[in-house]
């Protein structure tokens, strides 16, 4: 491509295709190949890296940096084509997502990686996007007060190097990109907010992030995200879990248009917050994009709670997104991961079995049940899928307590 004016610039090796932005925290940052602080890469990382020869898939990695005012540009090394030499340190989810889109649709695909491990959602929202959250006003203002009062340099240094302050990552790693028209966003984040036990806030904060980005881009950017994978040990009896609450907040965000969720409930690791199976994560994101962006009539989600009906001492659960049918992965047909409660609100483990397109849940000790939960723990063992192999989304029929 030749651009002529006072000077002439010739650009070589130009592709026209779809560009996707990948963002979030460490599970998005998790690289294809292990190195440095990342001791391991994805499953079969050596094979994945050695086979990475896709000249029509391009990668752009944004360097990590904070800013207290919107920046004009990002720090990055520029676009590179996918080769075994360039792909190893790139986001595994982003690369695998882009590769599958390229193979599926035979179009050039560009992936922009802009992420930072351990970061909270509010760091990725603009100041305008956080106006409805007065709790973030103080940390936004504090650094400016510190500058005005000439606080010691080391104190200011701590303030300006913290990637978890509200707005600082939006300013430095998102805002400079908004003039670049993107096909959509893939997002993997939430662990940091769950660890702070802020799931109730996340029900508002995560949709606010999506709406904020769309307002800056100026159109309804498709936004697909990963629901938190299994991580952490479970109590012996049914209990409350901030991790489960956060997953619920993510599910609620599906009420926004042009969104989709890849459920990773069944591919986590109770001992590792960074599960290695990023291939399935990327594939499930591709299914969401295939349905929501590329117009394919594909099964893109696992069974999703639709309604319940009390039938004596049993509760019948109806699902949407069952594809070609429900599947319980058990040779005897016994469902796992279900809890049931009477009016006292105390949940007990329940038996579950499939009846047609529904699942019936019961416990002989609960004669008047009122509510059901499924996969409501840190690392659930639920075994309900659709026949397309996608896991049922965790759910509860009782209302949140906060």
């Amino acid at each position: 491509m030749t651009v002529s004016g006072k000077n002439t610039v010739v650009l070589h090796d130009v592709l026209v295709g779809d560009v996707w932005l990948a963002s979030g925290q460490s599970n998005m940052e998790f690289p294809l190949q292990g190195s440095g602080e990342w001791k391991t890469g994805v499953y079969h990382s050596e094979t994945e890296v050695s086979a990475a020869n896709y000249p029509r898939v391009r990668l752009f990695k944004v360097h990590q940096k904070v800013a207290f005012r919107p920046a004009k540009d990002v720090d990055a090394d520029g676009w590179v084509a996918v080769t075994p030499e360039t792909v190893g340190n790139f986001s595994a989810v982003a690369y695998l997502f882009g590769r599958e889109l390229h193979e599926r649709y035979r179009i050039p695909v560009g992936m922009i990686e802009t992420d930072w491990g351990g970061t909270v959602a509010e760091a990725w929202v603009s100041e305008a996007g956080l106006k409805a959250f007065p709790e973030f006003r103080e940390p936004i203002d504090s650094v400016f007060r510190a500058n005005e009062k000439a606080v010691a340099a080391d104190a200011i240094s701590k303030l300006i190097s913290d990637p978890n302050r509200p707005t600082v990552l939006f300013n430095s790693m998102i805002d400079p990109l908004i003039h670049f028209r993107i096909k959509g966003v893939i997002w993997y984040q939430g662990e940091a907010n769950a660890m702070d036990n802020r799931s109730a806030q996340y029900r508002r904060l995560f949709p606010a992030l999506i709406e904020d980005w769309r307002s800056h881009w100026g159109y309804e950017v498709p936004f697909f995200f990963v629901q938190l994978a299994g991580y952490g040990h479970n109590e012996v009896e049914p209990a409350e879990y901030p991790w489960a609450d956060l997953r619920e907040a993510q599910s609620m965000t599906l009420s926004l248009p042009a969104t989709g969720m890849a459920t990773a409930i069944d591919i986590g690791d109770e001992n590792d917050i960074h599960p290695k199976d990023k291939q399935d994560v990327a594939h499930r994101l591709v299914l969401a994009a295939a349905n929501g962006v590329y117009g394919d009539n594909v099964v893109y989600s696992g069974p999703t709670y639709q309604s319940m009906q009390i039938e004596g001492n049993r509760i019948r659960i109806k699902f949407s997104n069952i594809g070609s049918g429900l599947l319980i992965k058990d040779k005897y047909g016994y469902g796992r991961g279900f809890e049931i409660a009477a009016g006292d609100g105390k949940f007990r483990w329940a038996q579950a079995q499939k009846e047609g397109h529904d699942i019936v849940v019961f416990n002989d000790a609960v004669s008047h049940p009122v509510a059901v939960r499924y996969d409501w723990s840190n690392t659930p063992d639920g075994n309900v899928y659709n026949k397309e192999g996608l896991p049922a989304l965790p759910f509860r029929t009782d209302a949140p307590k906060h």
Side-chain angles (χ1 to χ4, degrees):
M1 181 171 69
T2 301
V3 182
S4 297
K6 291 183 179 180
N7 301 309
T8 298
V9 177
V10 180
L11 303 175
H12 300 279
D13 194 22
V14 177
L15 297 178
V16 177
D18 290 348
V19 175
W20 286 80
L21 186 145
S23 188
Q25 58 179 110
S26 55
N27 270 305
M28 183 61 82
E29 187 182 353
F30 191 99
L32 195 68
Q33 184 177 45
S35 65
E37 64 177 300
W38 300 99
K39 296 180 181 179
T40 62
V42 301
Y43 284 139
H44 315 300
S45 63
E46 291 185 5
T47 301
E48 294 284 14
V49 170
S50 64
N53 288 289
Y54 293 91
R56 298 177 71 206
V57 178
R58 304 294 169 90
L59 310 176
F60 185 95
K61 186 167 184 174
V62 175
H63 297 166
Q64 294 172 345
K65 184 179 179 180
V66 303
F68 287 88
R69 289 290 185 228
K72 293 182 179 179
D73 205 351
V74 294
D75 284 348
D77 296 328
W79 288 97
V80 295
V82 168
T83 68
E85 292 71 37
T86 62
V87 78
N89 292 324
F90 199 77
S91 161
V93 170
Y95 161 66
L96 294 166
F97 174 85
R99 182 187 71 182
E100 186 171 342
L101 283 183
H102 170 64
E103 292 178 329
R104 191 180 189 107
Y105 298 109
R106 297 298 173 187
I107 55 173
V109 174
M111 297 301 305
I112 299 174
E113 176 188 353
T114 179
D115 46 34
W116 196 323
T119 54
V120 292
E122 60 267 25
W124 297 96
V125 186
S126 75
E127 185 173 353
L130 291 177
K131 282 186 177 178
F133 299 85
E135 61 267 36
F136 296 133
R137 189 69 258 166
E138 169 62 23
I140 291 173
D141 290 343
S142 60
V143 70
F144 302 113
R145 288 202 309 272
N147 275 312
E148 290 170 359
K149 295 179 181 179
V151 173
D154 60 340
I156 294 178
S157 177
K158 289 181 181 178
L159 281 173
I160 65 176
S161 63
D162 181 5
N164 277 321
R165 300 187 72 78
T167 77
V168 296
L169 300 185
F170 176 88
N171 292 336
S172 57
M173 300 175 67
I174 298 296
D175 192 71
L177 302 170
I178 62 175
H179 298 296
F180 203 115
R181 189 171 181 90
I182 55 176
K183 194 73 170 180
V185 172
I186 57 172
W187 172 265
Y188 196 159
Q189 190 275 338
E191 297 93 336
N193 293 75
M195 287 179 173
D196 290 343
N197 200 12
R198 292 193 285 131
S199 57
Q201 181 192 64
Y202 203 82
R203 294 178 208 143
R204 298 168 50 237
L205 180 58
F206 187 31
L209 181 151
I210 297 173
E211 298 283 32
D212 181 48
W213 287 22
R214 288 173 172 175
S215 71
H216 282 84
W217 256 279
Y219 59 99
E220 192 174 78
V221 180
F223 201 106
F224 305 107
F225 51 92
V226 183
Q227 190 178 45
L228 294 188
Y231 169 67
H233 300 292
N234 300 329
E235 302 293 336
V236 175
E237 297 298 326
E240 301 295 333
Y241 295 91
W243 217 252
D245 289 336
L246 199 286
R247 291 193 191 106
E248 180 182 54
Q250 292 174 314
S251 292
M252 290 176 173
T253 305
L254 292 172
S255 62
L256 289 182
T259 57
M261 185 172 73
T263 300
I265 195 73
D266 59 330
I267 49 181
D269 184 335
E270 69 175 350
N271 299 308
D272 191 348
I273 200 170
H274 302 124
K276 295 180 182 180
D277 183 359
K278 296 298 191 273
Q279 289 89 341
D280 278 322
V281 171
H283 174 63
R284 292 172 185 179
L285 285 169
V286 167
L287 292 177
N291 175 78
V293 172
Y294 294 97
D296 284 357
N297 184 21
V298 297
V299 178
Y300 62 92
S301 171
T304 305
Y305 169 74
Q306 181 175 323
S307 64
M308 60 167 272
Q309 181 177 337
I310 299 173
E311 301 175 349
N313 68 340
R314 313 189 315 167
I315 294 182
R316 180 178 297 273
I317 303 295
K318 293 186 177 294
F319 296 89
S320 59
N321 297 320
I322 62 172
S324 54
L326 282 178
L327 174 67
I328 292 182
K329 290 190 175 182
D330 180 88
K331 65 180 180 179
Y332 300 110
Y334 298 143
R336 295 193 307 270
F338 287 92
E339 310 164 20
I340 197 166
D344 60 0
K346 177 179 173 58
F347 279 87
R348 299 168 172 82
W349 295 119
Q351 295 175 268
Q353 59 192 34
K354 184 167 76 77
E355 290 188 1
H357 295 310
D358 307 333
I359 290 183
V360 174
V361 184
F362 60 95
N363 180 317
D364 290 339
V366 180
S367 56
H368 296 92
V370 299
V372 167
R373 292 180 177 181
Y374 173 72
D375 268 1
W376 202 262
S377 63
N378 286 330
T379 306
D381 68 343
N383 59 351
V384 179
Y385 290 73
N386 54 31
K387 290 183 179 179
E388 284 71 20
L390 298 175
L393 278 59
F395 69 87
R396 62 173 162 187
T397 68
D398 57 310
K401 292 182 171 62
H402 52 278

PDB file of all heavy atoms in Angstrom, residues 78-97:
ATOM      1  N   GLY A  78       4.759  -3.482  18.227  1.00  0.00           N
ATOM      2  CA  GLY A  78       4.179  -3.542  16.887  1.00  0.00           C
ATOM      3  C   GLY A  78       3.645  -4.918  16.535  1.00  0.00           C
ATOM      4  O   GLY A  78       3.726  -5.871  17.309  1.00  0.00           O
ATOM      5  N   TRP A  79       3.078  -5.005  15.344  1.00  0.00           N
ATOM      6  CA  TRP A  79       2.462  -6.251  14.886  1.00  0.00           C
ATOM      7  C   TRP A  79       3.521  -7.262  14.441  1.00  0.00           C
ATOM      8  O   TRP A  79       4.516  -6.892  13.824  1.00  0.00           O
ATOM      9  CB  TRP A  79       1.532  -5.970  13.714  1.00  0.00           C
ATOM     10  CG  TRP A  79       0.263  -5.252  14.084  1.00  0.00           C
ATOM     11  CD1 TRP A  79       0.030  -3.904  13.991  1.00  0.00           C
ATOM     12  CD2 TRP A  79      -0.933  -5.829  14.613  1.00  0.00           C
ATOM     13  NE1 TRP A  79      -1.245  -3.615  14.429  1.00  0.00           N
ATOM     14  CE2 TRP A  79      -1.862  -4.774  14.807  1.00  0.00           C
ATOM     15  CE3 TRP A  79      -1.317  -7.131  14.930  1.00  0.00           C
ATOM     16  CZ2 TRP A  79      -3.143  -4.981  15.315  1.00  0.00           C
ATOM     17  CZ3 TRP A  79      -2.595  -7.339  15.436  1.00  0.00           C
ATOM     18  CH2 TRP A  79      -3.487  -6.281  15.620  1.00  0.00           C
ATOM     19  N   VAL A  80       3.275  -8.526  14.760  1.00  0.00           N
ATOM     20  CA  VAL A  80       4.140  -9.612  14.273  1.00  0.00           C
ATOM     21  C   VAL A  80       3.258 -10.739  13.759  1.00  0.00           C
ATOM     22  O   VAL A  80       2.138 -10.951  14.244  1.00  0.00           O
ATOM     23  CB  VAL A  80       5.081 -10.158  15.374  1.00  0.00           C
ATOM     24  CG1 VAL A  80       6.073  -9.087  15.808  1.00  0.00           C
ATOM     25  CG2 VAL A  80       4.283 -10.684  16.568  1.00  0.00           C
ATOM     26  N   ALA A  81       3.739 -11.450  12.763  1.00  0.00           N
ATOM     27  CA  ALA A  81       3.040 -12.639  12.277  1.00  0.00           C
ATOM     28  C   ALA A  81       3.302 -13.802  13.219  1.00  0.00           C
ATOM     29  O   ALA A  81       4.328 -13.858  13.900  1.00  0.00           O
ATOM     30  CB  ALA A  81       3.515 -12.984  10.864  1.00  0.00           C
ATOM     31  N   VAL A  82       2.372 -14.737  13.267  1.00  0.00           N
ATOM     32  CA  VAL A  82       2.507 -15.898  14.154  1.00  0.00           C
ATOM     33  C   VAL A  82       3.539 -16.869  13.608  1.00  0.00           C
ATOM     34  O   VAL A  82       3.404 -17.410  12.507  1.00  0.00           O
ATOM     35  CB  VAL A  82       1.152 -16.620  14.321  1.00  0.00           C
ATOM     36  CG1 VAL A  82       1.345 -17.975  14.989  1.00  0.00           C
ATOM     37  CG2 VAL A  82       0.196 -15.757  15.145  1.00  0.00           C
ATOM     38  N   THR A  83       4.581 -17.060  14.390  1.00  0.00           N
ATOM     39  CA  THR A  83       5.597 -18.080  14.125  1.00  0.00           C
ATOM     40  C   THR A  83       5.962 -18.706  15.458  1.00  0.00           C
ATOM     41  O   THR A  83       5.625 -18.159  16.525  1.00  0.00           O
ATOM     42  CB  THR A  83       6.866 -17.475  13.503  1.00  0.00           C
ATOM     43  OG1 THR A  83       7.518 -16.648  14.501  1.00  0.00           O
ATOM     44  CG2 THR A  83       6.558 -16.641  12.270  1.00  0.00           C
ATOM     45  N   PRO A  84       6.670 -19.837  15.469  1.00  0.00           N
ATOM     46  CA  PRO A  84       7.105 -20.411  16.748  1.00  0.00           C
ATOM     47  C   PRO A  84       7.950 -19.438  17.573  1.00  0.00           C
ATOM     48  O   PRO A  84       7.969 -19.528  18.806  1.00  0.00           O
ATOM     49  CB  PRO A  84       7.909 -21.636  16.320  1.00  0.00           C
ATOM     50  CG  PRO A  84       7.315 -22.027  15.011  1.00  0.00           C
ATOM     51  CD  PRO A  84       6.965 -20.737  14.337  1.00  0.00           C
ATOM     52  N   GLU A  85       8.610 -18.499  16.922  1.00  0.00           N
ATOM     53  CA  GLU A  85       9.461 -17.555  17.637  1.00  0.00           C
ATOM     54  C   GLU A  85       8.683 -16.400  18.256  1.00  0.00           C
ATOM     55  O   GLU A  85       9.143 -15.783  19.228  1.00  0.00           O
ATOM     56  CB  GLU A  85      10.527 -16.986  16.678  1.00  0.00           C
ATOM     57  CG  GLU A  85      11.568 -17.988  16.205  1.00  0.00           C
ATOM     58  CD  GLU A  85      11.024 -19.013  15.235  1.00  0.00           C
ATOM     59  OE1 GLU A  85      10.157 -18.645  14.393  1.00  0.00           O
ATOM     60  OE2 GLU A  85      11.449 -20.190  15.321  1.00  0.00           O
ATOM     61  N   THR A  86       7.511 -16.095  17.712  1.00  0.00           N
ATOM     62  CA  THR A  86       6.770 -14.919  18.192  1.00  0.00           C
ATOM     63  C   THR A  86       5.618 -15.255  19.125  1.00  0.00           C
ATOM     64  O   THR A  86       5.136 -14.375  19.836  1.00  0.00           O
ATOM     65  CB  THR A  86       6.192 -14.130  17.000  1.00  0.00           C
ATOM     66  OG1 THR A  86       5.272 -14.959  16.272  1.00  0.00           O
ATOM     67  CG2 THR A  86       7.302 -13.655  16.075  1.00  0.00           C
ATOM     68  N   VAL A  87       5.166 -16.503  19.139  1.00  0.00           N
ATOM     69  CA  VAL A  87       3.907 -16.815  19.802  1.00  0.00           C
ATOM     70  C   VAL A  87       4.055 -17.248  21.251  1.00  0.00           C
ATOM     71  O   VAL A  87       3.105 -17.187  22.029  1.00  0.00           O
ATOM     72  CB  VAL A  87       3.153 -17.917  19.004  1.00  0.00           C
ATOM     73  CG1 VAL A  87       3.742 -19.300  19.283  1.00  0.00           C
ATOM     74  CG2 VAL A  87       1.667 -17.876  19.290  1.00  0.00           C
ATOM     75  N   GLY A  88       5.238 -17.689  21.652  1.00  0.00           N
ATOM     76  CA  GLY A  88       5.399 -18.320  22.956  1.00  0.00           C
ATOM     77  C   GLY A  88       4.981 -17.483  24.138  1.00  0.00           C
ATOM     78  O   GLY A  88       4.362 -17.976  25.085  1.00  0.00           O
ATOM     79  N   ASN A  89       5.305 -16.180  24.124  1.00  0.00           N
ATOM     80  CA  ASN A  89       4.996 -15.307  25.255  1.00  0.00           C
ATOM     81  C   ASN A  89       3.683 -14.559  25.093  1.00  0.00           C
ATOM     82  O   ASN A  89       3.352 -13.712  25.921  1.00  0.00           O
ATOM     83  CB  ASN A  89       6.135 -14.293  25.455  1.00  0.00           C
ATOM     84  CG  ASN A  89       7.413 -14.955  25.924  1.00  0.00           C
ATOM     85  OD1 ASN A  89       7.367 -15.907  26.700  1.00  0.00           O
ATOM     86  ND2 ASN A  89       8.547 -14.467  25.449  1.00  0.00           N
ATOM     87  N   PHE A  90       2.950 -14.867  24.049  1.00  0.00           N
ATOM     88  CA  PHE A  90       1.665 -14.204  23.819  1.00  0.00           C
ATOM     89  C   PHE A  90       0.568 -14.935  24.591  1.00  0.00           C
ATOM     90  O   PHE A  90       0.673 -16.134  24.895  1.00  0.00           O
ATOM     91  CB  PHE A  90       1.337 -14.198  22.329  1.00  0.00           C
ATOM     92  CG  PHE A  90       0.309 -13.183  21.930  1.00  0.00           C
ATOM     93  CD1 PHE A  90       0.641 -11.849  21.807  1.00  0.00           C
ATOM     94  CD2 PHE A  90      -0.996 -13.552  21.672  1.00  0.00           C
ATOM     95  CE1 PHE A  90      -0.298 -10.895  21.432  1.00  0.00           C
ATOM     96  CE2 PHE A  90      -1.955 -12.626  21.300  1.00  0.00           C
ATOM     97  CZ  PHE A  90      -1.600 -11.287  21.181  1.00  0.00           C
ATOM     98  N   SER A  91      -0.500 -14.217  24.922  1.00  0.00           N
ATOM     99  CA  SER A  91      -1.646 -14.812  25.616  1.00  0.00           C
ATOM    100  C   SER A  91      -2.113 -16.086  24.921  1.00  0.00           C
ATOM    101  O   SER A  91      -2.444 -16.071  23.726  1.00  0.00           O
ATOM    102  CB  SER A  91      -2.807 -13.813  25.653  1.00  0.00           C
ATOM    103  OG  SER A  91      -4.043 -14.459  25.906  1.00  0.00           O
ATOM    104  N   ALA A  92      -2.162 -17.178  25.667  1.00  0.00           N
ATOM    105  CA  ALA A  92      -2.595 -18.447  25.085  1.00  0.00           C
ATOM    106  C   ALA A  92      -4.044 -18.371  24.627  1.00  0.00           C
ATOM    107  O   ALA A  92      -4.379 -18.799  23.513  1.00  0.00           O
ATOM    108  CB  ALA A  92      -2.413 -19.576  26.094  1.00  0.00           C
ATOM    109  N   VAL A  93      -4.923 -17.834  25.478  1.00  0.00           N
ATOM    110  CA  VAL A  93      -6.334 -17.748  25.113  1.00  0.00           C
ATOM    111  C   VAL A  93      -6.506 -16.893  23.865  1.00  0.00           C
ATOM    112  O   VAL A  93      -7.245 -17.252  22.937  1.00  0.00           O
ATOM    113  CB  VAL A  93      -7.177 -17.192  26.273  1.00  0.00           C
ATOM    114  CG1 VAL A  93      -8.594 -16.871  25.815  1.00  0.00           C
ATOM    115  CG2 VAL A  93      -7.228 -18.190  27.426  1.00  0.00           C
ATOM    116  N   ALA A  94      -5.808 -15.747  23.821  1.00  0.00           N
ATOM    117  CA  ALA A  94      -5.959 -14.857  22.676  1.00  0.00           C
ATOM    118  C   ALA A  94      -5.448 -15.506  21.401  1.00  0.00           C
ATOM    119  O   ALA A  94      -6.111 -15.452  20.353  1.00  0.00           O
ATOM    120  CB  ALA A  94      -5.218 -13.545  22.940  1.00  0.00           C
ATOM    121  N   TYR A  95      -4.271 -16.112  21.463  1.00  0.00           N
ATOM    122  CA  TYR A  95      -3.731 -16.756  20.259  1.00  0.00           C
ATOM    123  C   TYR A  95      -4.617 -17.899  19.792  1.00  0.00           C
ATOM    124  O   TYR A  95      -4.962 -17.998  18.599  1.00  0.00           O
ATOM    125  CB  TYR A  95      -2.318 -17.273  20.513  1.00  0.00           C
ATOM    126  CG  TYR A  95      -1.896 -18.311  19.499  1.00  0.00           C
ATOM    127  CD1 TYR A  95      -1.715 -17.968  18.162  1.00  0.00           C
ATOM    128  CD2 TYR A  95      -1.748 -19.661  19.858  1.00  0.00           C
ATOM    129  CE1 TYR A  95      -1.365 -18.934  17.211  1.00  0.00           C
ATOM    130  CE2 TYR A  95      -1.399 -20.620  18.929  1.00  0.00           C
ATOM    131  CZ  TYR A  95      -1.212 -20.252  17.606  1.00  0.00           C
ATOM    132  OH  TYR A  95      -0.888 -21.207  16.666  1.00  0.00           O
ATOM    133  N   LEU A  96      -5.013 -18.777  20.707  1.00  0.00           N
ATOM    134  CA  LEU A  96      -5.814 -19.945  20.327  1.00  0.00           C
ATOM    135  C   LEU A  96      -7.174 -19.521  19.789  1.00  0.00           C
ATOM    136  O   LEU A  96      -7.708 -20.136  18.859  1.00  0.00           O
ATOM    137  CB  LEU A  96      -5.971 -20.878  21.526  1.00  0.00           C
ATOM    138  CG  LEU A  96      -4.671 -21.544  22.012  1.00  0.00           C
ATOM    139  CD1 LEU A  96      -4.875 -22.163  23.394  1.00  0.00           C
ATOM    140  CD2 LEU A  96      -4.203 -22.597  21.015  1.00  0.00           C
ATOM    141  N   PHE A  97      -7.736 -18.455  20.343  1.00  0.00           N
ATOM    142  CA  PHE A  97      -8.989 -17.895  19.843  1.00  0.00           C
ATOM    143  C   PHE A  97      -8.807 -17.382  18.413  1.00  0.00           C
ATOM    144  O   PHE A  97      -9.580 -17.712  17.504  1.00  0.00           O
ATOM    145  CB  PHE A  97      -9.437 -16.767  20.770  1.00  0.00           C
ATOM    146  CG  PHE A  97     -10.648 -16.000  20.313  1.00  0.00           C
ATOM    147  CD1 PHE A  97     -11.922 -16.451  20.599  1.00  0.00           C
ATOM    148  CD2 PHE A  97     -10.509 -14.795  19.622  1.00  0.00           C
ATOM    149  CE1 PHE A  97     -13.046 -15.726  20.192  1.00  0.00           C
ATOM    150  CE2 PHE A  97     -11.614 -14.066  19.216  1.00  0.00           C
ATOM    151  CZ  PHE A  97     -12.884 -14.544  19.497  1.00  0.00           C
TER     152      PHE A  97
END
